[in-house]
Amino acid sequence: METIPRNISAIEHVIPTVMDSESGELEWVLKRRGIISQNDFFTLQTICDYTSLFVCLVGVITNALNIRTFISMGLKDGVVITLLGLAISDFGFTFCGVVQSQANILFILERLQKLDGFSIQPKIFIMWAANLGIVFYQVTSMTTTFISLARCMCIAMPFRFKDFFTKSRSVIAISVFFLISPAYYATLLSHMGVERQFDPIVNRTRFVLWLSSKRSDIQDVTKFGNLIIFNITSCTVVTFCLIVMAKHLRQSVKFKYTFTTGPIGKGSTKKLDNKWTGKELQVVRQVFILCFIYTVSTIPNAFISVYRLIEDDFDFGKRLQNSYVLANSVGAILTQINSATTFPVYYVYNSKFKSHLTSCWSRSKK
């Protein structure tokens, strides 16, 4: 996924260091600005970072409340378990976003010489937070896809799948998701580290980021797989499920209106038996909104990834680098909004969640 590495690009390529062949001195040059000047880039990137920091702070707080509330509800059915898994991955993702945004703000201030050089290079926190954030967000992607597929199958074929997604199967699915994502990125993470050496940027010895020479090739393969598996496939499946759920939601609302305002025609008893209860309708609406927000926030990142494959200059270290970095910054904020807005969805569309949240809040006050 191309969302979180946006800040990595700002670190590695915004102000490249070159050796002047005549004087033998290090000098900073501005290069490959594209259609966005360097000054405008710093301004827009700073705005994105502060926006990201705010959204992620909200996400950390709301997902902590989600986790607390779901645990208090009791892990007795598959729906609660999957939503708890989603809250945990969203919490991890937004927490990494807080670290990354703060570190990137410090990095920009350091580069603009508004702060003294730190003993630890900010790039370290940006890179590690970015990559760990990707790991958590892939769990979010897989969990959201699983939730949408489970609800879709239960709606489309209720007699076959109504009791298929049990508590044990949900536990297994969430556990597998939390194992697959770190395993997928393990090779990439193993080719980066920290070492102490002289940093010409601040003219002092400090802890700096170390990257393997093979990491770039591994990252290209990982990004391509990420685009196909986690972006395009996930968005396609969730979009299909959204269409199916929207169709059945419309039918349910139409049936409920007919049942409450007019006489019931012949064969309506059978229709009534096949319709959802109030609780089931709440779950479907909740899942529908979650999937809709996820799709809207993920599709732009998929387009960014695809355009990067089409336009060679739209990449790190190339002519349209600044545009690429800012596009990914906006895409990252969208995914962070997705992870930070689950709380109001649960509060509005899940009466059980609302009552347990109120109960937890009352106990904490005492």
Side-chain angles (χ1 to χ4, degrees), residues 50-244:
Y50 277 109
T51 304
S52 173
L53 178 60
F54 172 76
V55 172
C56 288
L57 283 172
V58 172
V60 167
I61 296 171
T62 56
N63 281 293
L65 291 173
N66 290 342
I67 294 171
R68 169 79 181 276
T69 305
F70 285 130
I71 292 175
S72 72
M73 289 169 63
L75 307 180
K76 298 177 182 179
D77 61 78
V79 175
V80 175
I81 290 172
T82 51
L83 293 179
L84 175 62
L86 182 63
I88 293 173
S89 61
D90 282 340
F91 177 86
F93 174 60
T94 52
F95 181 81
C96 289
V98 170
V99 176
Q100 184 186 357
S101 298
Q102 287 181 320
N104 200 56
I105 291 170
L106 294 177
F107 165 79
I108 291 177
L109 293 175
E110 186 183 69
R111 290 300 180 275
L112 296 176
Q113 298 182 346
K114 292 185 178 181
L115 289 176
D116 293 334
F118 302 104
S119 59
I120 301 177
Q121 191 181 46
K123 184 195 293 189
I124 296 173
F125 297 100
I126 296 173
M127 285 287 284
W128 279 101
N131 284 273
L132 292 176
I134 295 174
V135 171
F136 279 112
Y137 196 75
Q138 301 319 332
V139 178
T140 291
S141 297
M142 290 185 285
T143 305
T144 304
T145 305
F146 174 78
I147 292 172
S148 64
L149 191 60
R151 287 300 99 196
C152 179
M153 294 170 71
C154 291
I155 291 170
M157 295 174 283
F159 297 109
R160 182 176 298 181
F161 292 102
K162 186 175 179 64
D163 299 319
F164 182 80
F165 296 96
T166 61
K167 173 183 175 180
S168 58
R169 290 191 176 102
S170 298
V171 170
I172 292 173
I174 297 300
S175 301
V176 169
F177 296 157
F178 273 96
L179 291 174
I180 288 177
S181 188
Y184 182 76
Y185 284 97
T187 304
L188 187 64
L189 293 172
S190 66
H191 283 76
M192 55 186 287
V194 178
E195 63 182 7
R196 186 176 176 83
Q197 66 177 33
F198 178 77
D199 188 350
I201 296 174
V202 293
N203 196 31
R204 61 182 294 187
T205 299
R206 65 175 180 174
F207 290 101
V208 300
L209 181 71
W210 167 82
L211 297 176
S212 168
S213 58
K214 299 179 181 179
R215 190 177 186 279
S216 179
D217 295 332
I218 297 172
Q219 190 173 27
D220 289 338
V221 175
T222 304
K223 284 182 178 180
F224 182 77
N226 189 16
L227 170 65
I228 301 300
I229 298 172
F230 296 110
N231 279 16
I232 296 179
T233 302
S234 177
C235 283
T236 302
V237 172
V238 174
T239 301
F240 172 78
C241 294
L242 275 173
I243 295 172
V244 174

Side-chain angles (χ1 to χ4, degrees), residues 5 7-17 107 123 127 209 211 215 219 316-317 321:
N7 289 333
I8 300 175
S9 62
I11 296 290
E12 295 174 340
H13 303 288
V14 165
I15 310 178
T17 306
F107 165 79
K123 184 195 293 189
M127 285 287 284
L209 181 71
L211 297 176
R215 190 177 186 279
Q219 190 173 27
F316 299 144
Q321 171 187 281

